[in-house]
Amino acid sequence: MSKKLAALSQTQRERLAHLELRAFFTGECRRADIESRFGVKPAAATRDLGAYRDLAPHNLEYDSVSRCYRPTPNFKPVFEFSSDRVLSWLLQGFGDGLDLRLKKAAPCEGPGNLVRPNLEILAAVTRALCAKRPLKITYLSLSSGASTRVIVPVALADNGLRWHVRAFDRAKARFSDFVLTRITKTKEMLEEAREQELLPADEQWVRIVDLEIVPHPGVKWSAGVEADYAMEEGAIKLRTRAALAGYVLRRWTVDCSDNHSLDPRSHHLWLRNTPTLYGVESAVLAPGYLASDQVRVEDECD
């Protein structure tokens, strides 16, 4: 820790760390961000901005048009952040565990996991996401190796195993999932994304699917399964995005076959309303589910 940083109080260091997080991962920060997050007066927030610029004079530049500070090309983080904490902040909002009713910095949903992506890559993705701009990436596909693609990131999601980026793939002209850790290089593009490339146009993300999950009929003593999952009236009724439904069902190893044909010793749960998966692209990942309209999912199948 530098002498200048050590000379600051713990509470001010926390405010400066928050300021740096917003600049690094969303591409902008404002005095009002500090005021709303920490409940300080405008004068105190102004002093924090001054203190941060004193610590890192080459990290931020003022955008007079948008009236905010943005990271410079020479940005170097002052604080050390773990990828787990950053992903937690993105998932829950920048509240440090407190329910402050703050708006999330980026659309991001999931139960959390232990994957640790490169923070420079993550920051480039989230900045493009928040700015609604395309991003040129080098992506490691399991079937075709490294390739250069132009994507428009629209959301982050945790599929229970790893984090992925929901994005519009310009080469394929469709929304797909990209494993965050398979992105090895990024180049920010200054153009704005087109309307059909943004989150409201992603039908699989917007569509909500109702899942009715019950004990597998092959389990002899279903009361134990009901207790495991705190079922009410013998079922779990879950609502999830169509883009995430397959991940959810695979994570819980839910038998999604029509006739519950999978082994109940490894599949304690069964999806009672399998027709709900009709037209759900991520259903290709659901154990036992077969449909003629399945579409390959970039994240897991490529």
Side-chain angles (χ1 to χ4, degrees), residues 30-52:
R30 293 176 168 82
R31 185 183 66 183
D33 295 328
I34 303 173
E35 295 174 29
S36 60
R37 166 62 183 85
F38 295 97
V40 298
K41 300 295 184 181
T46 299
R47 287 196 296 272
D48 288 337
L49 279 165
Y52 183 82

Side-chain angles (χ1 to χ4, degrees), residues 47-98:
R47 287 196 296 272
D48 288 337
L49 279 165
Y52 183 82
R53 300 188 73 185
D54 183 49
L55 285 171
H58 304 296
N59 271 8
L60 300 179
E61 58 187 3
Y62 187 68
D63 182 340
S64 58
V65 176
S66 300
R67 296 184 179 181
C68 66
Y69 288 91
R70 299 191 184 279
T72 69
N74 300 317
F75 185 94
K76 297 291 183 184
V78 174
F79 297 90
E80 293 185 9
F81 301 113
S82 72
S83 56
D84 289 345
R85 291 295 301 274
V86 172
L87 289 169
S88 177
W89 280 321
L90 288 170
L91 181 65
Q92 302 294 340
F94 292 94
D96 290 344
L98 299 176

Side-chain angles (χ1 to χ4, degrees), residues 107-239:
C108 181
E109 296 192 10
N113 63 20
L114 300 178
V115 173
R116 295 178 174 85
N118 179 288
L119 290 183
E120 294 284 347
I121 298 294
L122 175 61
V125 169
T126 54
R127 287 197 299 266
L129 192 160
C130 293
K132 299 180 180 179
R133 290 178 177 171
L135 188 69
K136 183 178 289 187
I137 65 171
T138 298
Y139 188 73
L140 301 177
S141 167
L142 296 185
S143 62
S144 57
S147 63
T148 300
R149 312 191 189 195
V150 176
I151 65 172
V152 179
V154 295
L156 296 177
D158 177 0
N159 66 18
L161 298 174
R162 58 177 69 87
W163 283 83
H164 66 261
V165 182
R166 185 74 178 169
F168 186 86
D169 184 348
R170 284 189 169 177
K172 297 183 178 181
R174 63 183 300 271
F175 289 94
S176 298
D177 300 333
F178 296 87
V179 179
L180 192 56
T181 49
R182 293 183 196 163
I183 300 175
T184 60
K185 294 181 182 179
T186 62
K187 182 178 180 181
E188 298 182 30
M189 303 175 69
L190 298 180
E191 63 182 276
E192 292 188 2
R194 298 182 283 269
E195 185 176 354
Q196 64 268 29
E197 300 173 329
L198 298 176
L199 194 59
D202 185 352
E203 294 180 358
Q204 292 291 308
W205 185 268
V206 174
R207 177 182 169 184
I208 300 299
V209 178
D210 291 298
L211 306 176
E212 295 180 13
I213 300 172
V214 299
H216 195 288
V219 173
K220 186 174 182 180
W221 302 105
S222 61
V225 178
E226 293 179 23
D228 283 344
Y229 297 94
M231 293 184 178
E232 295 183 4
E233 298 180 354
I236 300 171
K237 294 186 177 180
L238 178 68
R239 308 192 79 208

